[in-house]
Amino acid sequence: MRRRVIAGNWKMFKTQSETRAFFSAFAPLVGSSTNCDIVIAPPFTAIPAAVEVAKGTNIAISGQDVFWEKDGAFTGEISANMLVEAGCRYVIIGHSERRQFFGETDETVAKKTKAALAAGLTPIVCLGELLSHREAGQTHHICKSQFTGGVAALTADEFSRILIAYEPVWAIGTGRTATPEIASDVHRFLRQCAAERFSAAHASALRILYGGSVKPDNIQGLMAQEELDGALVGGASLDAKSFATIVSFA
Ligand code: PEP
C-alpha cells in the first residue's frame, strides 16, 4: 500500500508573517491526520519561518525549485544543501510554470533531481501535457518523452526515492480539473513507463500525485482512484481550511 502525500505549492504567495498566520490556523486542523504525508512549499524567503512554526507538527517543508550546482557564481539560485540546512525535506522540480516561464527542460529537471537526491531531499518531479497536446491525442507521447528525457536518467536506487506529480498544464490554475478517469489513465501509463525503464517493483512502489485545480469539492472523487497517491495543490493550499479539508480526504 503506497502512503499518500498531499503537497501544497504556494508559488509566489505569502510573506513570513502570512506564513506564520497560516500555520497557526492549519496545524491544529491537521494535527490528528495520520492518513497521509503533508508537505508545504512556501517561497524561499518564508522557508525559515515555515520550518520554525512546523517544528513538532506532522507538516514537512519543501522548496519550490533548486539549482544543481553545490555553490558558485549563480546569481539568484539556491542549492540543495541550502534547502536542507534551512530545514526542507522535499523540493518541487520541473513545475510547468518553471518550464513555461524560466526555461526549465527535461535535462535540467534530471540534473536538479540528482542534486536534490544527493543532498537527501525528496524531489517532487512534475510533468504533464499542454491543452494542445491533449486535443491532438498526444498526452501519452508527451508524458513519456518528459519521463524519458528527465527521470529516466536516474539510477534505480535514485528513482525509488522520488515522487512524480502528473500535472496537466490545462488544469493548473484554470479551475478545470482532469476527471478522476483521465488522471488515472495517465498515472497508469506513467507506472508502465517506470516498469519498462526500471522494474515492476519500482513501478508499483512509485507514488504519483495528481495536480491541477484540486479543491475541497473534487478531492474525494480523485482520491477514490487507486492510481492516485495524493495531490499537488496550488490555489487551494493557500487557505488553511480548504487545504485541511483536502488533507482529510487523502
Ligand atoms: C500547482 O501549482 O501545482 C497547481 C496544481 O495549481 P492549482 O491547484 O492552483 O491548479
Side-chain angles (χ1 to χ4, degrees), residues 1-4 147 156 159-164 187-209 225-230:
M1 189 69 185
R2 296 181 295 263
R3 183 169 167 79
R4 283 184 160 163
F147 183 96
F159 186 78
S160 67
R161 290 184 283 134
I162 70 164
L163 308 177
I164 287 183
H187 284 217
R188 206 172 298 116
F189 176 73
L190 288 169
R191 224 174 276 292
Q192 201 180 307
C193 297
E196 281 164 18
R197 167 65 185 89
F198 297 100
S199 72
H202 284 85
S204 68
L206 173 66
R207 291 185 289 172
I208 308 176
L209 318 187
Q225 300 287 325
E226 204 194 307
E227 272 294 338
L228 274 61
D229 304 311

Side-chain angles (χ1 to χ4, degrees), residues 118-131:
L121 291 166
T122 299
I124 304 173
V125 182
C126 305
L127 52 78
E129 82 284 4
L130 302 173
L131 182 59

Side-chain angles (χ1 to χ4, degrees), residues 24-219:
S24 356
F26 180 67
L29 295 175
V30 297
S32 55
S33 288
T34 50
N35 51 333
C36 66
D37 294 334
I38 306 169
V39 181
I40 291 182
F44 288 135
T45 50
I47 286 174
V51 167
E52 188 192 315
V53 286
K55 206 168 273 168
T57 71
N58 51 348
I59 307 159
I61 305 304
S62 172
Q64 296 180 13
D65 188 25
V66 66
F67 192 57
W68 57 83
E69 293 289 351
K70 283 204 170 79
D71 48 31
F74 302 107
T75 302
E77 295 297 326
I78 298 283
S79 75
N81 284 338
M82 289 170 184
L83 290 179
V84 170
E85 192 210 25
C88 288
R89 287 173 38 208
Y90 293 77
V91 63
I92 298 170
I93 295 174
H95 191 278
S96 67
E97 287 151 17
R98 302 238 39 109
R99 292 178 187 261
Q100 205 178 337
F101 305 126
F102 303 102
E104 190 87 271
T105 63
D106 295 334
E107 196 190 340
T108 60
V109 166
K111 283 161 104 169
K112 290 178 175 187
T113 305
K114 277 184 173 283
L117 286 165
L121 291 166
T122 299
I124 304 173
V125 182
C126 305
L127 52 78
E129 82 284 4
L130 302 173
L131 182 59
S132 56
H133 296 138
R134 174 153 289 274
E135 286 175 346
Q138 294 176 330
T139 297
H140 285 194
H141 172 73
I142 292 296
C143 291
K144 177 146 196 176
S145 86
Q146 291 177 349
F147 183 96
T148 308
V151 296
L154 303 179
T155 64
D157 172 63
E158 286 171 336
F159 186 78
S160 67
R161 290 184 283 134
I162 70 164
L163 308 177
I164 287 183
Y166 166 57
E167 299 210 305
V169 180
W170 48 269
I172 298 179
T174 58
R176 200 175 152 184
T177 324
T179 62
E181 293 71 26
I182 287 178
S184 232
D185 167 70
V186 179
H187 284 217
R188 206 172 298 116
F189 176 73
L190 288 169
R191 224 174 276 292
Q192 201 180 307
C193 297
E196 281 164 18
R197 167 65 185 89
F198 297 100
S199 72
H202 284 85
S204 68
L206 173 66
R207 291 185 289 172
I208 308 176
L209 318 187
Y210 166 76
S213 298
V214 172
K215 307 282 176 213
D217 62 4
N218 59 28
I219 184 70

Side-chain angles (χ1 to χ4, degrees), residues 6 11 171-178 210-223 231-239 241-250:
I6 299 292
K11 313 191 185 198
I172 298 179
T174 58
R176 200 175 152 184
T177 324
Y210 166 76
S213 298
V214 172
K215 307 282 176 213
D217 62 4
N218 59 28
I219 184 70
Q220 201 168 3
L222 291 162
M223 289 300 104
L232 180 54
V233 185
S237 72
L238 293 167
D239 176 76
K241 250 200 193 149
S242 85
F243 196 41
T245 306
I246 289 171
V247 166
S248 71
F249 281 112

